[in-house]
């Protein structure tokens, strides 16, 4: 037998870590893996859309072409709707949450929030994009799921993860017991454990800010952006700027190499750009589980009490010492 641990085997092996586990979470995580492989197949054809038919038109087989983010959204909704474990979902693509009324899913004990295809500006230019998901236990007791099921703090997450569609496709997830990464072997269509027990370095030399917004940053962040460019041997400065504009890919790289990612409040978006429920909380859970820090600048991301589905929050996350350095500047200069 080859020394390969597949995602399915791994999830099953871990089931015993949860007392009274019924296998529901195991099935749910497996469903997410399958949906992500279907999305991956479409993402890999993205550049062919002009040949096969543009979004909103029919391709040469007479099938409707959907925009990739809508396609990904539908794949996940169907996976959850017919999976049986999830009673309701909320996603970036839908204004309101969606409570399933079919058997057996309407009795599912979980709700899921997700961003089906994040970094959408990168789809058309063949640059990495990602999927982000977050799983909670429903808190309402009967009938269809309620808004309160979704407005739970990030600290209540049962599991979270992301898929990055890069040169290879990787699924990274946590259930609160460390972070593990799986790479899709496209030849056999199986995710294989490639990055066991991922740990974010405490230090790094990469900073991931959209510095085009510099003029609208707070004084403290401007000072930090100036500081990273100074020459200083002892701290390895100047640091390198790395910014893909796909949150998943930026944080994935920083998780492996060490770095700090920031999407702060700007003049145009006083709460930042990124959404708490399906972008910041799941990525914060992963980052913290890997030993990093995720904060708004004033508060731990996962301690925020959400007030609405599509709420935005400023975010600074990454290597512990790098985030703390940013906070030194924001605390000193505001
Ligand atoms: P999207 O949900 O519309 O794709 O936007 C989210 C993305 C993040 O992946 C990324 O971190 C950010 O937007 C980049 O924004 P900007 O182009 O303003 O730097
Ligand atoms: Mg998004």
């Amino acid at each position: 037998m080859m020394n390969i641990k597949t995602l399915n085997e791994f999830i099953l092996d871990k089931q015993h870590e949860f007392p009274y586990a019924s296998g529901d979470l195991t099935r749910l995580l497996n469903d997410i893996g399958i949906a992500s492989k279907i999305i991956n197949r479409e993402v890999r054809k993205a550049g062919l859309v002009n040949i096969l038919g543009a979004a909103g038109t029919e391709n040469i087989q007479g099938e409707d072409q959907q925009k990739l983010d809508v396609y990904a959204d539908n794949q996940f909704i169907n996976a959850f709707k017919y999976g049986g474990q999830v009673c309701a979902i909320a996603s970036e693509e839908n204004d309101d949450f969606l409570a399933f009324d079919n058997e057996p899913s309407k009795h599912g004990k979980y709700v899921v929030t997700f961003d089906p295809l994040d970094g959408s500006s990168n789809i058309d230019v063949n640059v990495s994009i990602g999927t982000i998901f977050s799983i909670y236990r429903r808190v309402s007791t009967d009938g269809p799921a309620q808004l309160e099921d979704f407005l739970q703090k990030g600290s209540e997450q049962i599991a979270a993860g992301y898929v990055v569609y890069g040169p290879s496709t990787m699924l990274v997830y946590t259930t609160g017991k460390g972070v593990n990464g799986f790479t899709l072997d496209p030849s056999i269509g199986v995710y294989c454990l490639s990055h066991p027990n991922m740990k974010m370095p405490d230090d790094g030399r990469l900073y991931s800010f959209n510095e085009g917004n510099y003029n609208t940053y707070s004084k403290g962040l401007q000072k930090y952006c100036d500081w990273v460019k100074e020459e200083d041997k002892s701290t390895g400065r100047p640091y390198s700027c790395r910014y893909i504009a796909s949150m998943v890919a930026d944080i994935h790289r920083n998780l492996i190499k060490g770095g700090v990612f920031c999407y702060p409040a700007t003049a145009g978006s006083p709460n930042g750009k990124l959404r708490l429920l399906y972008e910041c909380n799941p990525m914060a859970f992963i980052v913290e589980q890997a030993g990093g820090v995720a904060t708004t600048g004033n508060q731990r991301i996962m301690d925020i009490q959400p007030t609405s589905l599509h709420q935005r929050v400023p975010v600074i996350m990454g290597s512990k010492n790098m985030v703390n350095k940013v906070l030194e500047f924001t605390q000193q200069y505001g």
Side-chain angles (χ1 to χ4, degrees):
M1 187 54 196
M2 285 170 296
N3 185 22
I4 289 179
K5 174 75 78 183
T6 70
L7 175 64
N8 295 28
E9 288 170 339
F10 186 86
I11 294 170
L12 211 54
D13 285 356
K14 294 289 163 191
Q15 194 175 310
H16 71 86
E17 286 183 353
F18 297 88
Y20 315 114
S22 61
D24 280 5
L25 184 63
T26 300
R27 275 188 284 269
L28 171 50
L29 290 168
N30 278 325
D31 285 348
I32 290 174
I34 294 170
S36 77
K37 284 194 258 183
I38 298 174
I39 294 163
N40 178 63
R41 186 186 63 197
E42 289 311 293
V43 166
R44 297 290 164 214
K45 294 194 295 198
L48 296 168
V49 98
N50 290 337
I51 306 171
L52 302 175
T57 68
E58 289 185 351
N59 65 19
I60 47 175
Q61 283 87 36
E63 298 155 337
D64 264 345
Q65 286 287 303
Q66 284 172 325
K67 282 183 68 184
L68 265 182
D69 36 14
V70 179
Y71 178 90
D73 193 49
N74 288 333
Q75 284 305 325
F76 269 103
I77 291 175
N78 284 337
F80 299 133
K81 179 166 183 179
Y82 300 108
Q85 283 76 46
V86 176
C87 65
I89 62 97
S91 90
E92 182 172 329
E93 298 293 324
N94 298 280
D95 291 344
D96 208 351
F97 68 88
L98 203 68
F100 301 133
D101 53 11
N102 59 302
E103 297 282 352
S105 291
K106 67 181 195 183
H107 309 293
K109 61 177 182 235
Y110 296 109
V111 300
V112 181
T113 63
F114 58 94
D115 184 349
L117 219 49
D118 185 58
S120 36
S121 68
N122 284 322
I123 298 175
D124 290 341
V125 290
N126 202 8
V127 171
S128 296
I129 47 183
T131 293
I132 313 172
F133 63 88
S134 174
I135 301 173
Y136 294 84
R137 204 176 290 279
R138 85 174 277 185
V139 289
S140 60
T141 45
D142 53 18
Q146 307 290 321
L147 185 59
E148 60 174 313
D149 295 317
F150 293 97
L151 301 186
Q152 299 190 55
K153 291 182 183 175
S155 55
E156 299 299 317
Q157 289 172 103
I158 301 292
Y162 62 80
V163 182
V164 55
Y165 310 95
S168 66
T169 298
M170 268 192 81
L171 187 150
V172 174
Y173 83 99
T174 183
T175 54
K177 294 184 163 49
V179 179
N180 290 282
F182 301 80
T183 302
L184 183 64
D185 180 336
S187 65
I188 51 173
V190 173
Y191 281 111
C192 303
L193 180 63
S194 52
H195 295 62
N197 196 18
M198 295 172 83
K199 291 284 176 221
M200 188 159 211
D202 288 342
D203 284 293
R205 296 188 48 255
L206 303 179
Y207 72 107
S208 311
F209 289 55
N210 183 345
E211 269 197 277
N213 295 328
Y214 179 94
N215 286 338
T216 73
Y217 284 178
S218 67
K219 192 96 217 126
L221 284 179
Q222 289 183 338
K223 290 272 190 198
Y224 178 79
C225 289
D226 299 340
W227 178 83
V228 297
K229 298 184 192 75
E230 289 166 8
E231 212 153 317
D232 176 58
K233 277 218 170 65
S234 68
T235 51
R237 284 175 292 149
Y239 291 166
S240 289
C241 177
R242 292 284 183 275
Y243 192 74
I244 299 168
S246 283
M247 183 192 203
V248 169
D250 276 312
I251 291 177
H252 178 70
R253 180 204 52 242
N254 291 358
L255 178 56
I256 291 173
K257 295 197 162 181
V260 58
F261 171 90
C262 176
Y263 208 110
T266 62
S269 357
N271 296 313
K273 175 180 182 188
L274 301 175
R275 267 60 58 102
L276 176 60
L277 290 196
Y278 43 80
E279 291 173 334
C280 299
N281 267 336
M283 297 311 283
F285 194 13
I286 299 258
V287 164
E288 282 197 7
Q289 281 293 314
V293 175
T295 168
T296 62
N298 297 312
Q299 190 182 9
R300 180 183 178 224
I301 296 281
M302 290 204 289
D303 281 342
I304 301 171
Q305 174 59 56
T307 52
S308 66
L309 281 183
H310 299 283
Q311 180 176 352
R312 297 171 197 266
V313 292
V315 46
I316 308 165
M317 62 169 88
S319 293
K320 198 194 306 179
N321 296 338
M322 294 188 82
V323 173
N324 287 336
K325 191 74 195 175
V326 178
L327 294 179
E328 266 179 41
F329 279 91
T330 55
Q331 275 149 16
Q332 187 178 349
Y333 298 100

